[in-house]
């Protein structure tokens, strides 16, 4: 093909439009990926609304990309990638390799992290040019529509749990059963944790059970979330996937001694946590970013092994605007995914 389509936004907060562009050639160290599917993540809001520094328009969002290597740039073949390889590219879209975190091997917190849709055009398109270090190999068992969300929502929850202080048998709570949380519950159960799902409304108890939760806590019930967790013995870890500072704060007193609150749900609002809540029981609060390309690959391999899949609703690229609005409204169950074929 000589042209390809992208769904772009030309001004902050503006509507999506689908336009054709000339097919780009990958430079040294890069590949062109033919996009088969791309998830719609709430973090895309930061780029569509110019909520982060350095966003330039037109913006092509999308950092839950699944596709096939279509062309190799100079030097990429030496790293083992071949045309036709099925690959995913997530929030980790490449690193600079020279900042202090990179020199320490902590690439996901690179000070110059190359997030698709921010550093370069993202996956709301039929093709993407991406650095080779951003590529994760997709297992044969995963469809592209499953693999795309694994590159951000999947790896963030999977990595957040496996890098936490919890060990098999520990009580682990997942706050929220949305785009992140519905995967977090599945991972927690598969990792051998006694899994608690926390969400709003008694009607979500059955979904929590289907996802593998051993317990369900309705955050709207008369009993507080913290008391409910303490009645189960206290949570070793709470994985906070809901982007609601008040809801996250409400879980802190439900942590056990030396318990850990792992925050992955993004919110700009402050959390109301007092030092005493942390000091007396030796509790820890930390933020957790996504994961490197290898972490994405680990996530997909674990998912294939344990039969874990995201719940997705697929729509064609032409309907990117509608899919984005459905994600914003909270009506998505649970991941909107754009397809190109």
């Amino acid at each position: 093909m000589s042209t390809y389509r992208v769904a772009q936004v030309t001004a902050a907060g503006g509507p999506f439009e689908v336009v054709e562009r000339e097919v780009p050639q990958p430079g040294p160290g890069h590949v062109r990926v033919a996009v088969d599917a791309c998830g719609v993540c709430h973090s895309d809001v930061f780029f569509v609304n110019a909520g982060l520094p350095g966003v330039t328009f037109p913006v092509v969002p999308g950092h839950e990309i699944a596709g096939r290597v279509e062309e190799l740039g100079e030097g990429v073949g030496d790293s083992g990638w071949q045309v036709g390889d099925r690959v995913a590219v997530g929030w980790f879209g490449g690193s600079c390799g020279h900042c202090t975190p990179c020199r320490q091997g902590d690439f996901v917190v690179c000070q110059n992290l190359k997030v698709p849709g921010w550093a370069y055009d993202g996956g709301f398109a039929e093709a993407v040019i991406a650095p080779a270090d951003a590529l994760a190999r997709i297992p044969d068992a995963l469809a592209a529509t499953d693999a795309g969300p694994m590159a951000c929502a999947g790896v963030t929850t999977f990595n957040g749990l496996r890098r936490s202080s919890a060990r098999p048998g520990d009580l682990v709570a997942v706050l929220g059963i949305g785009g992140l949380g519905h995967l977090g519950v599945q991972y927690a159960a598969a990792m051998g944790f006694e899994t608690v799902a926390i969400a709003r409304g008694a009607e979500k108890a059955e979904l929590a059970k289907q996802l593998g939760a051993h317990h369900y806590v309705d955050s709207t019930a008369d009993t507080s979330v913290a008391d409910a967790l303490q009645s189960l013995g206290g949570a070793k870890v709470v994985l906070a996937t809901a982007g609601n500072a008040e809801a996250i704060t409400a879980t802190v007193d439900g942590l056990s001694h030396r318990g850990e609150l792992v925050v992955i749900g993004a919110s700009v609002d402050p959390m109301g946590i007092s030092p005493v809540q942390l000091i007396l029981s030796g509790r820890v609060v930390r933020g957790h970013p996504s994961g490197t390309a290898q972490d994405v690959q680990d996530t997909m391999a674990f998912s294939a092994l344990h039969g874990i899949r995201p719940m997705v609703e697929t729509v064609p690229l032409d309907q990117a605007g509608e899919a984005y609005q459905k994600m914003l409204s909270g009506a998505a169950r649970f991941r909107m995914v754009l397809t190109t074929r």
Side-chain angles (χ1 to χ4, degrees):
M1 62 179 178
S2 58
T3 63
Y4 74 112
R5 296 180 305 151
V6 305
Q8 66 179 23
V9 173
T10 58
F16 279 86
E17 60 179 12
V18 177
V19 299
E20 289 198 357
R21 297 181 180 178
E22 289 190 9
V23 174
Q25 301 302 307
H30 289 66
V31 303
R32 186 172 70 240
V33 176
V35 178
D36 293 320
C38 184
V40 181
C41 179
H42 198 275
S43 298
D44 290 321
V45 173
F46 293 129
F47 313 129
V48 172
N49 292 345
L52 290 171
V55 173
T56 58
F57 292 89
V59 160
V60 180
H63 55 268
E64 293 188 341
I65 304 163
R68 293 157 288 111
V69 174
E70 194 171 54
E71 186 170 350
L72 305 177
E74 182 183 347
V76 175
D78 297 337
S79 60
W81 295 107
Q82 298 179 1
V83 170
D85 285 345
R86 299 178 68 230
V87 295
V89 180
W91 178 267
F92 179 85
S95 56
C96 71
H98 58 73
C99 68
T100 298
C102 283
R103 286 168 60 84
Q104 292 173 339
D106 200 358
F107 301 106
V108 76
V109 289
C110 169
Q111 294 171 353
N112 306 292
L113 190 66
K114 302 171 186 175
V115 181
W118 187 8
Y120 54 87
D121 288 342
F124 287 18
E126 292 177 327
V128 167
I129 301 291
D133 67 329
L135 303 180
R137 198 174 299 277
I138 300 175
D140 292 340
L142 290 186
T145 50
D146 294 327
M150 296 287 182
C152 181
V155 68
T156 303
T157 50
F158 175 78
N159 234 17
L161 288 168
R162 74 166 174 170
R163 297 186 185 281
S164 75
S165 58
R167 296 296 177 263
D170 285 343
L171 190 77
V172 169
V174 178
L175 173 65
I177 313 180
L180 291 168
H182 87 286
L183 285 167
V185 172
Q186 293 181 75
Y187 288 133
M191 289 177 182
F193 303 137
E194 183 179 352
T195 304
V196 186
I198 307 169
R200 295 177 57 84
E203 69 279 0
K204 295 180 181 177
E206 183 58 32
L207 171 62
K209 182 179 178 181
Q210 292 172 6
L211 293 171
H214 303 97
H215 311 279
Y216 178 71
V217 172
D218 175 7
S219 62
T220 65
D222 292 337
T223 303
S224 72
V225 169
D227 286 346
L229 291 176
Q230 288 298 343
S231 73
L232 295 170
K236 180 66 176 178
V237 167
V238 171
L239 182 72
T241 74
N244 183 306
E246 184 177 351
I248 295 171
T249 300
T251 68
V252 174
D253 284 334
L255 291 168
S256 67
H257 63 282
R258 302 290 180 186
E260 182 181 18
L261 173 61
V262 181
V263 180
I264 62 175
S267 171
V268 297
D269 298 323
M271 295 187 296
I273 301 172
S274 73
V276 171
Q277 286 176 283
L278 305 179
I279 293 170
L280 295 181
S281 295
R283 293 166 175 154
V284 174
V285 179
R286 68 177 178 88
H288 172 74
S290 180
T292 65
Q294 183 60 54
D295 292 326
V296 173
Q297 197 161 305
D298 292 347
T299 301
M300 292 190 292
F302 186 90
S303 301
L305 182 65
H306 290 275
I308 295 171
R309 301 292 186 274
M311 296 180 180
V312 303
E313 181 178 344
T314 60
V315 295
L317 179 65
D318 290 339
Q319 297 176 23
E322 292 91 330
Y324 178 79
Q325 291 301 325
K326 189 167 185 178
M327 176 277 296
L328 278 184
S329 72
R333 292 294 181 267
F334 285 99
R335 216 67 177 169
M336 301 302 298
V337 177
L338 304 176
T339 59
T340 60
R341 292 166 181 79

